[in-house]
Each structure stands twice: as C-alpha cells, then as structure tokens.
Amino acid sequence: DAGVTQSPTHLIKTRGQQVTLRCSPKSGHDTVSWYQQALGQGPQFIFQYYEEEERQRGNFPDRFSGHQFPNYSSELNVNALLLGDSALYLCASSFGTGLGEQYFGPGTRLTVT
Amino acid sequence: GESVGLHLPTLSVQEGDNSIINCAYSNSASDYFIWYKQESGKGPQFIIDIRSNMDKRQGQRVTVLLNKTVKHLSLQIAATQPGDSAVYFCAGGGADGLTFGKGTHLIIQP
C-alpha cells in the first residue's frame, strides 16, 4: 500500500519564478492538505482540497494556489517566489474533511535564491 | 487564532526511562489534538490523537493527557528507545485546519 508521495524531492528556483509541487495521496484517501515547514519550525497549514475544491485555507497570500484532480492527487503552485518561500513543503492526505488522522509525505525541499 | 507551542526545545533522556513532552495551547475552540514524530529528512508521522471530550488516551508505549482547564497536553513515552529520537510536534485542530507548535527535539542517551 503506497503512502503519500511527493515530487520533486528537491527544487531550486530563483526569485520571481513560479513553481509547481505535486502530491499523490495514500490509497483510499480523498483529501489533501498542504503545509509549509520552515527550518526549525512546525508545519504551517496552507490549504486543504476535497472534491477538487479548496475547503480550508490558512494565512497564506494568493501567490499560493492549488488544484486537486479527479484521482485525488494535488498540486501546489507558488507564483512570484520570494526568498522567504524557501522551506519544506509537506502534503498530507486523509479521508474526508473531518478531523482525522493525516498521513504526511516526505516533502519537497524548495530553495529560492 | 490558535497558538500551539511546546515548553522545551530539547529534551534529553536516558534509554529505558520514560519521556514526557509538554504542550500548551491557547485556542479553547480546538477540539482535536495530535502528536506527531518527525525524523530527520522525513515528513511528520502520526503518533496518537485525542479529542477534546477525553482527558487521556493510550497507545502502544505512548499516552496523551489533555487538561482543558489549563489548556495543556502531554505525550508520555514509556521505556524510551533509541528509535524514539526525533522532533515531536503537538498540533491542535479546529475550523482552520491543524496548527502545529515549534517542536521538541527528544535526545536519547545510552
């Protein structure tokens, strides 16, 4: 049973560029949440997707957007990258939008130079 | 909004001893709390959760205690093993998703 997978593992971008990160949820899960984890900090909630719609959103600017596909996989897009966007981006999957166990992927390490 | 934090950034324990990691939260509306373990280079791994209508829940070698009066929860790990070495996060859940604290680095000494 495959767990949550994310791609790419590492990414280096330049300020002002755009980036797309990808996530495939654990088998049987239909909800995907995205988190940003700065070095030495806890993950911060970006948004959650369910039934191909954004259901909840944390305190992140509109430069952060996402998408969920019919197969439940998801993308996180970040436009006009800033140095401060450098972080580990984590995807977590769960079943339904209720409060329940979220399974995290290994993350994508984004470095903005 | 929710604010979840941990009392100590680093906790050092002897192998075989019990570990207690503490967490305080500020949002009384949080109705779900989770402990995660994160090893270097990996995503957070679910350990145990507890809902606000409970004050204690036990898992395998782990126990979570919730004190709603003082807005405090703790994670107890029995007979700490080298494999328990990691950063531990508490997270509070509510209408705005999960809010994580900064983490406590648990160090196991032989």
Side-chain angles (χ1 to χ4, degrees):
Chain A
D1 177 26
V4 180
T5 59
Q6 293 186 244
S7 63
T9 305
H10 296 88
L11 203 52
I12 299 175
K13 290 286 188 178
T14 305
R15 274 180 299 177
Q17 286 188 315
Q18 179 264 342
V19 68
T20 297
L21 310 181
R22 296 176 176 81
C23 171
S24 291
K26 178 179 168 65
S27 179
H29 285 180
D30 57 6
T31 303
V32 173
S33 302
W34 286 93
Y35 294 81
Q36 180 195 67
Q37 186 176 24
L39 200 61
Q41 302 293 316
Q44 280 196 290
F45 176 71
I46 303 175
F47 43 53
Q48 183 185 78
Y49 276 83
Y50 173 71
E51 292 186 337
E52 302 179 47
E53 290 187 4
E54 183 183 295
R55 298 291 177 166
Q56 292 180 322
R57 189 180 183 93
N59 189 24
F60 278 81
D62 292 344
R63 297 187 298 110
F64 289 77
S65 63
H67 188 78
Q68 185 179 36
F69 300 93
N71 67 353
Y72 308 121
S73 67
S74 177
E75 289 182 349
L76 165 65
N77 301 292
V78 187
N79 295 321
L81 284 167
L82 304 173
L83 295 179
D85 294 332
S86 295
L88 180 69
Y89 287 85
L90 294 162
C91 167
S93 74
S94 55
F95 181 74
T97 57
L99 296 174
E101 185 174 341
Q102 294 190 5
Y103 288 81
F104 282 82
T108 293
R109 173 70 62 186
L110 173 65
T111 302
V112 182
T113 62
Chain B
E2 171 75 77
S3 174
V4 180
L6 293 166
H7 292 316
L8 295 172
T10 302
L11 176 65
S12 182
V13 299
Q14 292 289 125
E15 182 179 348
D17 287 353
N18 296 336
S19 303
I20 300 176
I21 303 173
N22 295 303
C23 180
Y25 62 95
S26 61
N27 188 352
S28 301
S30 292
D31 51 11
Y32 181 60
F33 300 92
I34 314 167
W35 281 100
Y36 282 94
K37 170 186 179 182
Q38 188 172 25
E39 297 173 286
S40 182
K42 297 183 179 180
Q45 177 187 355
F46 174 93
I47 301 173
I48 192 168
D49 60 0
I50 188 168
R51 297 197 178 263
S52 60
N53 61 352
M54 303 169 67
D55 53 21
K56 180 180 180 179
R57 190 167 186 214
Q58 288 183 295
Q60 187 178 15
R61 281 202 308 120
V62 295
T63 300
V64 55
L65 299 177
L66 175 63
N67 186 332
K68 294 180 287 293
T69 302
V70 295
K71 298 180 184 177
H72 179 273
L73 78 159
S74 66
L75 176 69
Q76 300 178 4
I77 304 174
T80 310
Q81 302 169 358
D84 294 328
S85 180
V87 177
Y88 288 81
F89 293 97
C90 64
D96 298 327
L98 284 178
T99 301
F100 283 76
K102 291 185 178 180
T104 291
H105 186 193
L106 179 63
I107 298 171
I108 314 303
Q109 295 186 347

